[in-house]
């Protein structure tokens, strides 16, 4: 999945008309609309460009049950989608189905923008991947349906590993660090055995969750920052060791151009979205020569004996609470994301939304690594003010301060907790 997920940053400025939605009946069962003559489906250009036949198959399945139904589609790019959605949700022209980046869901759920859905109506909902299930859940209620996922894996230069005497990909943290130590010693301190930009909080928080920590913890409907807990500090300490020991590039630079940097040949390994290795090997980025033949992906091991939990990017589908056709919208979503739809999405290179469809991929050498990595996952706090936490770049600031030594791990985490607590419960 080669697009970057956008957090629900603009949600804080949602239109006044949306606020009243939170007090309305948001059950799709009660909203009706089963006799609607038309529904409108908003998707991103990913579906339009990469799997239009899957969209048509869902249309055909629903129309077969509702002869004469008209299904309108509108497609949007990620940068401008939410602004247009915010504007239309203030009117009575809301779409009936809308695609959301999974971290975009939180603010909209908190504002009451989406109708509650019954998971039992959707294929394999009892097996939804943990992080995707979290992304559509707010205060114990479900407000969306996971669509597809994209995970993170380790990718390294097997040729460089071999030069350092390492013949196989690591299966444990001890094997990984031993291999990186050999590579770092052989290549010298101007080379990054592991290119890990410090502001990459998706990577850093994987170590926090692996250690039993978290960004924040929920008590009832209230969230409290948790980065200063002993477990979280332990995970942040491991992350600092990685950056100090193996990252010899600009430690303040973010991960946006990581594939380009990796393609330049000054690093041996990355921990990144599964598509980044292929992007590095693209001829326009490959300064090594035949880089694709030199790359090997592996499930990133964690320091505590299990696979490192990963942040799952992906999309969800939701039904706006103002939809007048919620029943048919629910049928369309199930036709699109159900068992047949998932097989189509898998064929297009995506990870499915559930563990049942993920299982066969673990047995296929072509998909074994990303499928196995996706089994262990974490998600951001589904708190009303999470969008403000991201917008303020609190985690990035903390991680840069840790990496450049401006603050100790404990002091940086304490400052981040204080900043998070100011906004995380704010709708």
């Amino acid at each position: 999945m080669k697009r970057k997920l956008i957090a629900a940053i603009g949600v804080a400025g949602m239109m006044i008309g949306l606020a009243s939605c939170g007090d309305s009946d948001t059950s799709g069962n009660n909203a009706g609309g089963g006799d609607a003559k038309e529904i409108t489906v908003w998707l991103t250009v990913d579906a339009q460009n990469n799997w239009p036949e899957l969209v048509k198959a869902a249309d055909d399945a629903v129309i077969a049950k509702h002869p004469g139904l008209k299904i309108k589609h509108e497609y949007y790019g990620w940068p401008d989608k939410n602004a247009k959605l915010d504007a239309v949700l203030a009117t009575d022209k809301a779409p009936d189905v809308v695609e959301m980046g999974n971290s975009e869901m939180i603010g909209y759920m908190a504002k009451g923008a989406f109708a509650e859905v019954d998971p039992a109506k959707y294929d394999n909902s009892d097996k939804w991947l943990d992080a995707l299930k979290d992304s559509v859940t707010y205060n114990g209620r479900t407000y969306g349906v996971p669509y597809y996922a994209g995970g993170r894996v380790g990718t390294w230069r097997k040729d460089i590993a071999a030069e350092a005497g390492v013949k196989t990909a690591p299966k444990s943290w001890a094997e990984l660090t031993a291999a990186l130590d050999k590579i770092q010693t052989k290549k010298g301190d101007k080379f990054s055995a592991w290119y890990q930009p410090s502001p990459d909080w998706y990577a850093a928080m994987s170590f926090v969750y692996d250690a039993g920590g978290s960004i924040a913890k929920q008590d009832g409907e209230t969230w409290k920052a948790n980065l200063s807990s002993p477990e979280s500090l332990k995970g942040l300490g491991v992350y600092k060791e990685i950056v100090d020991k193996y990252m010899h590039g600009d430690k303040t630079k973010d991960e946006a151009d990581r594939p380009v940097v990796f393609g330049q040949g000054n690093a041996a390994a990355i921990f990144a979205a599964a598509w980044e290795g292929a992007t590095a090997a693209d001829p326009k980025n490959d300064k090594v020569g035949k880089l694709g033949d030199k790359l090997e992906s592996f499930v990133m091991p964690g320091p505590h004996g299990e696979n490192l939990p990963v942040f799952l990017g992906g999309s969800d589908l939701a039904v706006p609470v103002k939809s007048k056709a919620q029943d048919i919208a629910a049928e369309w979503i199930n036709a699109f994301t159900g068992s047949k739809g998932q097989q189509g999405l898998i064929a297009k290179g995506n990870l499915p939304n559930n563990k049942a469809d993920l299982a066969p991929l673990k047995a296929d050498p072509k998909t074994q690594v990303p499928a196995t990595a996706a089994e262990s996952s974490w998600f951001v706090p589904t708190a009303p003010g999470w969008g403000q936490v991201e917008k303020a770049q609190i985690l990035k600031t903390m991680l840069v301060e840790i990496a450049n030594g401006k603050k100790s791990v404990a002091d940086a985490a304490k400052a981040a907790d204080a900043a998070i607590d100011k906004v995380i419960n704010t709708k």
Side-chain angles (χ1 to χ4, degrees):
M1 182 179 58
K2 194 181 174 181
R3 51 92 168 160
K4 192 172 183 179
L5 297 178
I6 304 169
I9 291 173
V11 176
M14 269 190 196
M15 49 291 168
I16 295 175
L18 181 56
S20 63
C21 295
D23 297 325
S24 63
D25 185 348
T26 60
S27 169
N29 294 332
N30 297 327
D35 58 352
K37 303 302 181 185
E38 178 179 298
I39 65 169
T40 299
V41 177
W42 280 23
L43 299 172
T44 68
V45 292
D46 298 321
Q48 183 181 33
N49 295 336
N50 300 320
W51 45 85
E53 70 276 20
L54 304 184
V55 177
K56 184 179 184 302
D59 290 352
D60 292 345
V62 175
I63 290 173
K65 294 182 180 179
H66 302 276
L69 177 71
K70 182 178 181 181
I71 302 179
K72 295 172 59 180
H73 292 280
E74 296 184 26
Y75 294 94
Y76 295 93
W78 287 100
D80 58 353
K81 174 182 65 68
N82 285 5
K84 293 180 179 179
L85 179 61
D86 291 351
V88 77
L89 287 179
T91 73
D92 61 355
K93 303 294 185 183
D96 302 292
V97 177
V98 61
E99 177 181 351
M100 305 294 295
N102 58 359
S103 62
E104 294 176 333
M105 287 287 294
I106 302 167
Y108 287 85
M109 293 189 293
K111 292 286 186 178
F114 297 143
E116 187 177 352
V117 302
D118 179 2
K121 291 186 174 182
Y122 298 91
D123 293 352
N124 288 314
S125 60
D126 60 332
K127 300 179 182 68
W128 283 343
L129 296 177
D130 295 339
L132 298 188
K133 181 179 180 180
D134 289 346
S135 76
V136 297
T137 305
Y138 184 75
N139 285 339
R141 297 185 175 186
T142 305
Y143 294 95
V145 177
Y147 172 9
Y148 66 97
R152 285 166 167 73
V153 300
T155 301
W156 77 354
R157 293 272 303 275
K158 58 185 179 182
D159 59 324
I160 291 178
E163 288 173 10
V166 180
K167 305 299 183 182
T168 59
K171 297 293 193 298
S172 69
W173 184 251
E175 288 181 4
L176 174 63
T177 54
L180 293 174
D181 288 345
K182 291 178 181 179
I183 291 169
Q184 194 65 69
T185 298
K186 184 170 184 63
K187 301 297 285 187
D189 60 9
K190 294 186 181 301
F191 183 87
S192 294
W194 180 345
Y195 183 78
Q196 181 54 60
S198 70
D200 179 11
W201 61 271
Y202 294 110
M205 293 304 106
S206 287
F207 290 95
V208 167
Y209 282 89
D210 177 70
S214 61
I215 299 170
K217 296 182 72 174
Q218 187 175 18
D219 183 8
E221 294 188 7
T222 301
W223 288 82
K224 177 74 174 174
N226 192 49
L227 292 169
S228 293
S229 70
E231 297 83 4
S232 295
L233 290 176
K234 187 174 183 179
L236 289 171
V238 172
Y239 187 70
K240 176 175 171 55
E241 291 175 5
I242 292 165
V243 174
D244 286 349
K245 199 170 187 181
Y246 304 122
M247 170 62 176
H248 297 285
D250 182 352
K251 290 182 171 60
T252 66
K253 193 175 185 180
D254 68 21
E255 71 276 16
D257 65 347
R258 176 167 47 205
V260 175
V261 175
F262 194 39
Q264 292 171 347
N266 294 317
I270 58 174
F271 172 49
W275 54 262
E276 293 191 41
T279 301
D282 186 290
K284 68 176 180 288
N285 297 322
D286 180 6
K287 307 303 180 185
V288 176
K290 297 184 178 180
L291 179 59
D293 296 335
K294 300 176 174 68
L295 297 182
E296 181 178 19
S297 292
F298 56 92
V299 179
M300 181 62 73
H304 292 87
E306 304 290 338
N307 293 338
L308 192 69
V310 300
F311 177 84
L312 284 184
S315 282
D316 300 323
L317 296 175
V319 178
V321 72
K322 289 189 175 183
S323 165
K324 298 179 179 64
Q326 291 183 23
D327 287 350
I328 297 181
E331 290 182 33
W332 191 91
I333 291 175
N334 195 41
F336 191 49
T337 65
S339 297
K340 289 185 178 180
Q342 290 300 310
Q343 293 307 310
L345 289 165
I346 290 168
K348 295 292 183 177
N350 300 293
L351 291 176
N353 66 4
N354 68 89
K355 294 176 182 178
D357 288 320
L358 193 70
L361 302 184
K362 292 170 57 183
D364 185 340
K366 295 179 181 178
T367 54
Q368 181 181 30
V369 169
T372 302
E375 278 193 310
S376 178
S377 60
W378 62 272
F379 193 63
V380 298
T382 51
W386 176 252
Q388 296 183 55
V389 175
E390 283 206 43
K391 185 177 182 179
Q393 298 189 353
I394 295 170
L395 297 180
K396 287 187 175 184
T397 298
M398 174 190 70
L399 294 170
V400 171
E401 289 175 341
I402 289 173
N404 64 19
K406 185 177 180 180
K407 290 182 179 178
S408 68
V409 171
D411 287 346
K414 182 178 179 180
D417 277 349
I420 289 171
D421 283 338
K422 288 180 180 179
V423 298
I424 196 168
N425 293 298
T426 304
K427 290 187 178 181

